[in-house]
Amino acid sequence: MVIALLTDFGTKDYFVGAAKGIILSINENAQIIDITHEIPPQEIKSASFTLRACYKDFPKKTVFVAVVDPGVGSERRAILAETEDYYFIAPDNGLLSFVFNEEKNFFIFELTNEKFFKYPISRTFHGRDIFAPAAAHLSNGTKPNEFGKEIKDFVRFEESQPRKVSKKETEAEIIYVDRFGNLITNLTQKDLPESFTIEINGKKISKLQNFFAEAEKNELFMILGSAGFLEIASFQDSAINLLNIKVGQKFILKENS
Amino acid sequence: MVIALLTDFGTKDYFVGAAKGIILSINENAQIIDITHEIPPQEIKSASFTLRACYKDFPKKTVFVAVVDPGVGSERRAILAETEDYYFIAPDNGLLSFVFNEEKNFFIFELTNEKFFKYPISRTFHGRDIFAPAAAHLSNGTKPNEFGKEIKDFVRFEESQPRKVSKKETEAEIIYVDRFGNLITNLTQKDLPESFTIEINGKKISKLQNFFAEAEKNELFMILGSAGFLEIASFQDSAINLLNIKVGQKFILKENS
Amino acid sequence: MVIALLTDFGTKDYFVGAAKGIILSINENAQIIDITHEIPPQEIKSASFTLRACYKDFPKKTVFVAVVDPGVGSERRAILAETEDYYFIAPDNGLLSFVFNEEKNFFIFELTNEKFFKYPISRTFHGRDIFAPAAAHLSNGTKPNEFGKEIKDFVRFEESQPRKVSKKETEAEIIYVDRFGNLITNLTQKDLPESFTIEINGKKISKLQNFFAEAEKNELFMILGSAGFLEIASFQDSAINLLNIKVGQKFILKENS
C-alpha cells in the first residue's frame, strides 16, 4: 500500500529518515512516496494547497501523511480523515481544509489510541512518534475507528474566494508561488469573463496564453495552470521576480468592455 | 519494473507527487526512483548530461522519464526511445541526444495514442498527463509501437567536441558544474597528451591528480572524474568559486613541450 | 530488504541516481530509502550525528550506506560494520563513530574483496563503485566476512562531552543546526540540574519549554529535542539567526542558586 509524505521537515536532517524508518519498522512492505518535504516551515496553507493539487492522482487507498505542525506538543489534536478513496493523517490545524473542500463525504477520527504511538513520545516530533506509526498501522489493516473516536469539531479554514467588487471588477488573490516563480491565483475557469485584464502591483496583464513557449522572453502573461487555477507567468523568467509579490497579495481582474 | 525520474520540476511543489501518483495509479507495483528533480529550469543540456552519466548503472529494462520541457503545450512532440537495454520517455527537444550518442541501435516512437494519456490533458504539465502515464503503461507491458508511429526526424543536438586549434593547442569547454563546484569539461582520456596545461580565465592549471585529498586546500587541479571527463576541482573549496566561470566557457589545453 | 542512504552527494547531479542504479542492478528488489543527501560537503560529524539520530527507527537488518568521503581514492579504507540489529557501509573516516558509541557489540570488516566492486573503479566516486555494490550484495545474502577481513584499528572519534568547569558551571557545545535553525547541544537530560541558565554569545537563556508553541514570537528558549539533546530554539523564527552561531560554539550552563 502506498504511503505518501508531505511535510515541512526539509531534506537535510534526520526527520524524514526517522519517519520512514518507523513506517518500515511497522510495515516493511509499505511503498513510501515523497511528495515534498519542502513546504516552507509552518506554512499550513501551502501544505494544504500542495496536497489538494495532487492527491487525486494517487491510487485509491493511498495513505497521505501531511505534517506541518507548529503546534506540536500543545493541545492540538492529531487526526485521521477517511474520504471515499483515501486516508489522510495530519495535525488538526486546518492542513486538510482544501481536501475537505473537494470531498463530499468524509469522516474524521482523533488519534488517541496509545497502542499505535511510538514510545517515548517526544514533545517536538509527532511526525515520527504519532503520524508515521498511524499511517503504517493503517496500511497494515487497522481500521480508522480503532485509532480513536470520530470528531466533528475539527479545524477547517475557508479558502479565499474571488470577490465581485463592482459590476466588472473582481478582487482575487495570489495563493501560491511555484518553483518556477509562477504565481497561482484563486481564479478558476468559471471566474473568467470572455475578455479581461488583471492589474497587479501597478502592472496590467491582458495576454492569456495556452502554453509557455508562445510568449516573448520576460513578458508577463496569464495561463490556466495544471492545478486548475489561473496563473501569472513569464517564459524563461520568473513572474515573481518581475512583479515582486508575495502570497496573499490581492489584485483586480477587470472585464474588458 | 524500475521507473527512474529525471526532471526540472524541483521538489517543493506538487509536480513530482502528481507524476508519481499517476504512475502508481496505473502500475501500483512500479518501483519509482528519483534521479534528480533539480535540473536547472529548462536546461535541456544539463538534463542530457546527467542522464547520460548514470543511465547505464540501472538494471536492464529500466524506464527513464526525463522531463525538461520548455515547449510543453506547443507542437513539440513527445517520444519514447527504445535502446538495446532501456526505455526513455521525454519531450522531443534534444534531451536524449547524449544517450543517442552512446547507443548504436535505437528506435524512436512518437507518443500519439490518446488511450495512454491522462485526461484532461493540461497545456502546461505533460510530465503528469503524457510522460508519466506512458512510463507506467510501458512498465505494465504495453509495446513501444502501441504508443505511436516510429519516427526518424527526432531532434538531436551535437555534443560540443574538443577542437584542435594549433599543433599543440586544443580548445575545450566546460559542459557541467556539479554540486561540489567541480567543473566538468568535454575532454576525455583520449584527448589528453602525456603532459599538458590548461589556461582558463587567466589561470594556468597543470597539476593532474588521482584523487581529491592529494591537493592543498584551495589549490586548483585537474582530475579524471567519475563520469569519464576531465574535471577542474579544488579540495575543500569549490573550483567554480575560485574561477568564476559558467557552463559553456571555452578554454585552451596546451601540450607541454 | 531496506537499504538506506545518507550522503553529501546533493540531489542535483547524477551521483544519487548512479548509486541507486547500481544497487538495483545487483538487487532489483532492494527497497532504497533516502535519509538525506544534503549533509554539507565533507562534514563527517554532521553525517555521524544525523545517522545516529535515526538509525534505530529502521527495521532490523536495514543496510545503511553512509558516504561523506573527502579521502576518496586515497589510502583510507572502506568498511562494513555489523551491529546486533543493523549493517553500516561507510568510508573508514570516523563517520560511524556516533553509532559505535551507541552499540555494545559490533564487528568491522574492511571491504577488500574486488568481486563485489563495480568496474572500472573511479578514483573519485566510491559511493557508486564500492559502497553501493557492497550494500546490494549484502542485501542479497553475502556474509560480512566475505567482503574482507575483520579489523580492529578503524577510525573513531570521540564525541564532545559536556565538561564541569566549576561546581555550578558546565561547558557544553553546539553540535548541530537543523533545518529550522534550532541549535542542538551536546547536553542530555542527565546533564541538566533542576534549574539552570545558559549563556551563549552574550545572551542568557533560562526558559525551558515543553513544546514550541508555548513561546512568544522571536523569544529564545530551550527544549528537549527529538534526538534526545537539549536544543536552543525560537518559535516562528530561527535561533541560529537570532544568535549568530556556528557548530562547535562552546557555551556555559549555570546551575541556578
Side-chain angles (χ1 to χ4, degrees):
Chain A
M1 198 185 268
V2 177
I3 297 178
L5 310 179
L6 182 151
T7 78
D8 69 348
F9 295 168
T11 52
K12 70 174 276 297
D13 299 307
Y14 61 90
F15 308 128
V16 171
K20 291 178 178 175
I22 290 296
I23 289 170
L24 294 169
S25 290
I26 295 168
N27 178 3
E28 191 155 347
N29 296 314
Q31 194 170 4
I32 301 175
I33 295 291
D34 298 308
I35 296 175
T36 180
H37 300 289
E38 292 171 37
I39 300 295
Q42 310 177 352
E43 285 199 11
I44 295 167
K45 285 196 180 182
S46 287
S48 201
F49 173 84
T50 304
L51 182 58
R52 190 253 307 271
C54 68
Y55 79 93
K56 291 179 185 170
D57 295 323
F58 279 80
K60 291 188 181 191
K61 300 301 160 198
T62 292
V63 179
F64 295 92
V65 181
V67 186
V68 174
D69 194 12
V72 61
S74 71
E75 291 301 307
R76 76 96 188 86
R77 298 174 296 190
I79 57 173
L80 185 168
E82 180 180 16
T83 68
E84 203 174 319
D85 291 334
Y86 300 110
Y87 301 103
F88 299 86
I89 289 168
D92 180 30
N93 61 14
L95 199 164
L96 300 178
S97 297
F98 296 173
V99 168
F100 298 153
N101 294 348
E102 295 286 308
E103 298 287 332
K104 285 213 194 64
N105 295 305
F106 56 88
F107 305 92
I108 312 290
F109 302 87
E110 187 181 353
L111 301 176
T112 53
N113 189 340
E114 304 185 347
K115 204 170 95 183
F116 302 115
F117 296 168
K118 176 196 175 286
Y119 288 87
I121 301 175
S122 71
R123 300 300 296 260
T124 59
F125 191 14
H126 289 184
R128 175 190 63 192
D129 302 333
I130 293 180
F131 301 113
H137 285 293
L138 195 62
S139 75
N140 271 343
T142 301
K143 299 290 168 221
N145 63 12
E146 296 180 61
F147 290 94
K149 289 205 173 126
E150 194 183 340
I151 61 171
K152 299 285 190 188
D153 62 339
F154 52 88
V155 176
R156 180 175 182 172
F157 47 73
E158 291 307 311
E159 288 183 80
S160 73
Q161 296 293 339
R163 189 172 65 93
K164 276 269 176 199
V165 290
S166 76
K167 201 178 157 199
K168 298 211 158 193
E169 292 178 317
T170 301
E171 188 191 71
E173 190 180 323
I174 301 299
I175 56 170
Y176 190 80
V177 180
D178 74 16
R179 120 103 151 180
F180 301 99
N182 299 324
L183 308 168
I184 289 88
T185 75
N186 61 350
L187 295 159
T188 59
Q189 180 76 63
K190 70 173 182 357
D191 303 312
L192 304 179
E194 200 166 334
S195 170
F196 60 95
T197 299
I198 63 175
E199 293 185 21
I200 183 161
N201 256 16
K203 288 223 173 74
K204 290 190 187 194
I205 306 168
S206 54
K207 190 171 183 183
L208 178 65
Q209 293 197 170
N210 279 321
F211 53 90
F212 292 104
E214 278 176 295
E216 303 298 314
K217 208 179 156 175
N218 295 355
E219 181 189 25
L220 285 163
F221 59 88
M222 299 176 286
I223 192 164
L224 261 174
S226 58
F229 297 98
L230 188 76
E231 303 182 6
I232 302 169
S234 173
F235 186 53
Q236 296 185 333
D237 200 336
S238 140
I240 194 170
N241 286 345
L242 294 173
L243 279 170
N244 190 25
I245 268 177
K246 284 187 185 169
V247 166
Q249 167 99 29
K250 300 274 203 297
F251 64 92
I252 295 294
L253 173 151
K254 259 193 198 161
E255 188 175 345
N256 294 341
S257 12
Chain B
M1 197 184 269
V2 177
I3 296 179
L5 311 179
L6 182 152
T7 78
D8 69 348
F9 295 168
T11 52
K12 70 174 277 296
D13 298 308
Y14 61 90
F15 308 128
V16 171
K20 291 177 178 175
I22 290 297
I23 289 171
L24 294 169
S25 291
I26 295 168
N27 178 3
E28 191 155 347
N29 296 313
Q31 195 171 4
I32 301 175
I33 295 291
D34 297 307
I35 296 176
T36 179
H37 300 289
E38 293 171 37
I39 300 295
Q42 309 176 352
E43 286 198 11
I44 295 167
K45 285 196 180 181
S46 287
S48 201
F49 173 84
T50 303
L51 182 59
R52 190 253 307 271
C54 68
Y55 79 93
K56 291 179 185 170
D57 295 322
F58 279 80
K60 292 188 180 189
K61 299 302 161 199
T62 292
V63 179
F64 295 92
V65 180
V67 186
V68 174
D69 194 13
V72 61
S74 71
E75 291 301 307
R76 76 96 189 86
R77 300 173 294 189
I79 57 173
L80 185 168
E82 180 180 17
T83 67
E84 203 173 318
D85 291 333
Y86 300 109
Y87 301 103
F88 299 86
I89 289 167
D92 181 30
N93 61 14
L95 199 164
L96 299 178
S97 296
F98 296 173
V99 168
F100 298 153
N101 294 348
E102 295 286 308
E103 298 286 333
K104 286 213 194 64
N105 295 305
F106 56 88
F107 305 92
I108 312 290
F109 302 87
E110 187 181 353
L111 301 176
T112 53
N113 189 339
E114 304 184 347
K115 204 170 95 183
F116 302 115
F117 296 168
K118 175 194 176 287
Y119 289 87
I121 301 175
S122 71
R123 299 301 295 260
T124 59
F125 190 15
H126 289 184
R128 176 190 63 193
D129 302 334
I130 292 179
F131 300 114
H137 285 293
L138 195 61
S139 74
N140 272 343
T142 301
K143 299 289 168 223
N145 63 12
E146 297 180 59
F147 290 94
K149 288 204 174 129
E150 195 184 340
I151 61 171
K152 300 284 190 189
D153 62 339
F154 52 89
V155 176
R156 180 176 183 172
F157 48 72
E158 291 307 311
E159 287 183 81
S160 72
Q161 296 293 339
R163 189 172 66 92
K164 277 268 177 200
V165 290
S166 76
K167 201 180 158 198
K168 298 211 158 194
E169 291 178 317
T170 300
E171 188 190 72
E173 190 180 323
I174 302 298
I175 56 171
Y176 190 79
V177 180
D178 74 16
R179 120 104 151 180
F180 301 99
N182 299 324
L183 308 168
I184 289 87
T185 75
N186 60 349
L187 294 159
T188 59
Q189 180 75 63
K190 69 172 183 356
D191 302 312
L192 304 179
E194 200 166 335
S195 169
F196 60 94
T197 299
I198 63 175
E199 293 186 21
I200 182 161
N201 256 16
K203 288 226 172 73
K204 291 190 185 193
I205 306 168
S206 54
K207 190 170 183 182
L208 179 64
Q209 294 198 171
N210 279 321
F211 53 90
F212 291 103
E214 279 176 294
E216 303 298 314
K217 209 180 153 174
N218 294 355
E219 182 189 25
L220 285 163
F221 59 89
M222 299 176 285
I223 192 164
L224 261 173
S226 58
F229 296 99
L230 189 75
E231 302 182 7
I232 302 170
S234 173
F235 186 53
Q236 296 186 332
D237 200 337
S238 141
I240 195 170
N241 286 346
L242 293 172
L243 279 170
N244 190 24
I245 268 177
K246 284 189 185 167
V247 166
Q249 167 99 28
K250 300 275 204 296
F251 65 92
I252 295 293
L253 174 150
K254 259 193 198 161
E255 188 174 347
N256 294 341
S257 14
Chain C
M1 198 184 268
V2 177
I3 297 179
L5 310 179
L6 182 151
T7 78
D8 69 348
F9 295 168
T11 52
K12 69 175 276 297
D13 298 307
Y14 62 90
F15 308 129
V16 171
K20 291 178 178 176
I22 290 296
I23 289 170
L24 294 169
S25 290
I26 295 168
N27 178 3
E28 191 155 347
N29 296 314
Q31 195 170 3
I32 301 175
I33 296 291
D34 297 308
I35 296 175
T36 179
H37 301 288
E38 292 172 37
I39 300 295
Q42 309 177 352
E43 286 199 11
I44 295 167
K45 285 196 180 181
S46 287
S48 201
F49 173 84
T50 303
L51 182 58
R52 190 253 306 271
C54 68
Y55 79 94
K56 291 179 185 170
D57 295 323
F58 279 80
K60 291 187 181 192
K61 300 301 160 199
T62 292
V63 179
F64 295 92
V65 180
V67 186
V68 174
D69 195 12
V72 61
S74 71
E75 290 302 306
R76 76 97 188 85
R77 299 174 297 189
I79 57 173
L80 185 168
E82 180 180 16
T83 67
E84 203 174 318
D85 291 333
Y86 301 110
Y87 301 104
F88 299 87
I89 289 168
D92 180 30
N93 61 14
L95 198 163
L96 300 179
S97 297
F98 296 173
V99 168
F100 298 153
N101 295 349
E102 294 286 309
E103 298 286 333
K104 286 213 194 64
N105 295 304
F106 55 88
F107 305 93
I108 312 291
F109 302 87
E110 188 181 352
L111 301 176
T112 53
N113 190 339
E114 304 184 347
K115 203 169 96 183
F116 302 115
F117 296 167
K118 176 195 176 285
Y119 288 87
I121 301 175
S122 71
R123 300 301 296 260
T124 59
F125 191 15
H126 289 184
R128 175 190 63 193
D129 302 333
I130 293 180
F131 301 113
H137 285 293
L138 195 61
S139 75
N140 272 343
T142 301
K143 299 289 169 221
N145 63 12
E146 297 181 60
F147 290 94
K149 288 205 174 127
E150 195 184 340
I151 61 171
K152 299 285 190 189
D153 62 339
F154 52 89
V155 175
R156 180 176 182 172
F157 48 72
E158 291 307 311
E159 287 183 81
S160 72
Q161 295 293 339
R163 189 172 66 92
K164 276 269 175 199
V165 290
S166 76
K167 200 177 158 201
K168 299 212 156 191
E169 292 179 315
T170 300
E171 189 191 70
E173 191 180 322
I174 302 299
I175 57 171
Y176 189 80
V177 180
D178 74 16
R179 119 104 150 182
F180 301 100
N182 299 324
L183 308 168
I184 288 89
T185 75
N186 60 349
L187 295 159
T188 59
Q189 180 76 63
K190 69 171 183 358
D191 302 313
L192 304 179
E194 201 166 334
S195 170
F196 60 94
T197 299
I198 63 175
E199 293 185 21
I200 183 161
N201 257 16
K203 288 226 172 72
K204 291 190 186 193
I205 306 168
S206 54
K207 191 171 184 182
L208 179 64
Q209 294 197 171
N210 280 320
F211 53 90
F212 292 104
E214 278 175 295
E216 304 298 314
K217 209 180 154 175
N218 294 355
E219 182 189 24
L220 286 163
F221 59 89
M222 298 177 285
I223 192 164
L224 262 174
S226 59
F229 297 99
L230 189 76
E231 303 183 7
I232 302 169
S234 173
F235 186 54
Q236 296 186 332
D237 200 337
S238 140
I240 195 170
N241 286 346
L242 294 173
L243 279 170
N244 191 23
I245 267 177
K246 284 188 185 169
V247 166
Q249 166 100 28
K250 300 275 204 295
F251 64 93
I252 295 295
L253 173 151
K254 260 192 197 159
E255 188 174 346
N256 294 341
S257 13

